[in-house]
Amino acid sequence: MPSPVQEIKEDLFSEKGVRVFVKREDLNHPVISGNKWRKLKYNLEEAKRLGHKKILTFGGAYSNHIHAVAGAGKKYNFETIGVIRGEETLPLNDTLAYAKSCGMTLHYINRSDYRLKNDRAVKRGLQLAFGESYIIPEGGTNNLAIKGCTEIIKELTEAYDHYCLSIGTGGTISGVIDGLDGKASVIGVSALKGSFLTSEIESLLSEYSGKVYNNWQINNDYHFGGYAKVKPEQLLFMSAFENRHNMLLDPIYTGKAMYGLYDLIHNDHFDPGQKILFIHTGGLQGRKGFGL
Ligand SMILES: *Cc1c(COP(=O)(O)O)cnc(C)c1O
């Protein structure tokens, strides 16, 4: 079932002559919501096809990806191992408590070792410790994840002038860009501080399809201090938005990207008459970590 698309109305949008629609990926799957479901779908199929019983993956203590893999493991009968950055803190936060309740084995590694997680030797070591596993990288980004994310676009029944979404590793936007195949324009609002994502996405795309697209850009202006940091004006924006539109946002990704979209509209980034699709990538489980 395609996730629904809904228009949101604001005086600001009518003043500027633009229309804004939201693709509700936050509603797309009961257990594994948002872009993480898109990213896992073909990976789960592949793990099954290869006969794997275990899935091993990586993430921080509040990771939506860890949450999604744990939920998927329980639902689709895989054993799951979550390699978690940093030390165990008890009691477990809501994300990890949920992961554990789904049966995920949590294995903590320190931050410097975590940086080496993509090393062949480190992966081999983990396979020896936990048994042969299907390994999914941090954030779930790989070619099969990108393939899954192209379907966010392929299932749309209307075209838009701009597509706007939050980005972390760049996997989701890579699928969106490839799915559009050069049409319209794509704006990725980075949830992280730093400007390394453009080259990261270029390499994801070249590995995925080898195609080069010029219809996308990364905006680095709305990270609010960096990954998982929040500022009062962001939280105020989020609660006002949620009250007006009866739609929740998460503080790490969609709350920042939506703030960015409003600000870009305010600053005349778009032309009158244009239609913008905001892709709500989900992540609502992350609200709990902020007491929301
Ligand atoms: C993981 C996540 C993102 C970032 O997706 P990438 O594919 O890593 O860029 C964006 N929004 C939400 C809600 C997420 O959970």
Side-chain angles (χ1 to χ4, degrees), residues 35-36 39 64 139 141 166-172 250 253-254 281-283:
N35 62 344
K36 299 302 183 286
K39 294 171 90 170
N64 293 331
T141 292
S166 173
I167 60 174
T169 63
T172 307
D250 82 290
Y253 295 103
T254 54
T281 41

Side-chain angles (χ1 to χ4, degrees), residues 90-116:
L90 293 171
L92 293 176
N93 70 35
D94 288 303
T95 305
L96 296 182
Y98 171 81
K100 199 167 175 193
S101 76
C102 292
M104 182 178 254
T105 302
L106 301 174
H107 174 69
Y108 297 84
I109 60 178
N110 68 47
R111 284 159 196 271
S112 51
D113 288 351
Y114 189 84
R115 268 181 227 118
L116 304 173

Side-chain angles (χ1 to χ4, degrees), residues 58 115-128 135:
F58 305 84
R115 268 181 227 118
L116 304 173
K117 63 188 173 304
N118 293 329
D119 266 28
R120 200 180 280 265
V122 172
K123 286 193 204 160
R124 198 65 221 130
L126 288 166
Q127 301 259 26
L128 286 173
I135 296 188

Side-chain angles (χ1 to χ4, degrees), residues 21-256:
F21 299 80
V22 181
K23 174 116 171 107
R24 301 289 306 272
E25 291 289 294
D26 55 317
L27 304 176
N28 68 359
H29 191 283
V31 201
I32 320 153
S33 113
N35 62 344
K36 299 302 183 286
W37 165 241
R38 303 283 183 176
K39 294 171 90 170
L40 278 175
K41 183 179 149 193
Y42 289 112
N43 276 296
L44 295 173
E45 280 182 23
E46 180 71 356
K48 192 162 191 184
R49 192 183 67 80
L50 296 171
H52 283 285
K53 305 241 167 346
K54 296 183 187 177
I55 295 178
L56 183 145
T57 195
F58 305 84
Y62 294 92
S63 164
N64 293 331
H65 169 66
I66 289 290
H67 191 273
V69 170
K74 181 169 181 202
K75 182 148 199 236
Y76 300 104
N77 294 315
F78 290 100
E79 254 181 72
T80 54
I81 300 112
V83 179
I84 310 298
R85 181 182 62 231
E87 278 166 18
E88 180 177 39
T89 333
L90 293 171
L92 293 176
N93 70 35
D94 288 303
T95 305
L96 296 182
Y98 171 81
K100 199 167 175 193
S101 76
C102 292
M104 182 178 254
T105 302
L106 301 174
H107 174 69
Y108 297 84
I109 60 178
N110 68 47
R111 284 159 196 271
S112 51
D113 288 351
Y114 189 84
R115 268 181 227 118
L116 304 173
K117 63 188 173 304
N118 293 329
D119 266 28
R120 200 180 280 265
V122 172
K123 286 193 204 160
R124 198 65 221 130
L126 288 166
Q127 301 259 26
L128 286 173
F130 294 104
E132 277 307 315
S133 313
Y134 184 79
I135 296 188
I136 302 180
E138 180 180 51
T141 292
N142 58 16
N143 274 343
L144 291 173
I146 294 174
K147 178 180 173 192
C149 291
T150 63
E151 296 178 354
I152 299 173
I153 298 302
K154 294 195 173 137
E155 71 184 29
L156 291 171
T157 53
E158 278 190 51
Y160 302 85
D161 300 293
H162 301 275
Y163 296 75
C164 179
L165 74 159
S166 173
I167 60 174
T169 63
T172 307
I173 196 174
S174 297
V176 167
I177 294 166
D178 192 84
L180 285 166
D181 199 23
K183 288 193 278 294
S185 95
V186 185
I187 302 167
V189 180
S190 179
L192 314 163
K193 201 149 120 182
S195 47
F196 50 91
L197 269 169
T198 300
S199 61
E200 184 62 30
I201 292 161
E202 279 165 1
S203 74
L204 287 172
L205 281 167
S206 94
E207 237 175 83
Y208 179 66
S209 65
K211 290 195 193 163
V212 177
Y213 297 107
N214 298 311
N215 60 327
W216 59 278
Q217 65 189 69
I218 302 308
N219 181 302
N220 288 304
D221 297 337
Y222 304 103
H223 58 68
F224 290 91
Y227 183 71
K229 304 250 165 62
V230 290
K231 293 251 163 80
E233 65 265 33
Q234 179 201 337
L235 295 175
L236 280 173
F237 168 82
M238 284 170 59
S239 74
F241 177 94
E242 289 165 0
N243 289 333
R244 280 200 305 280
H245 301 296
N246 195 22
M247 183 191 308
L248 297 176
L249 301 171
D250 82 290
I252 300 180
Y253 295 103
T254 54
K256 294 180 178 183

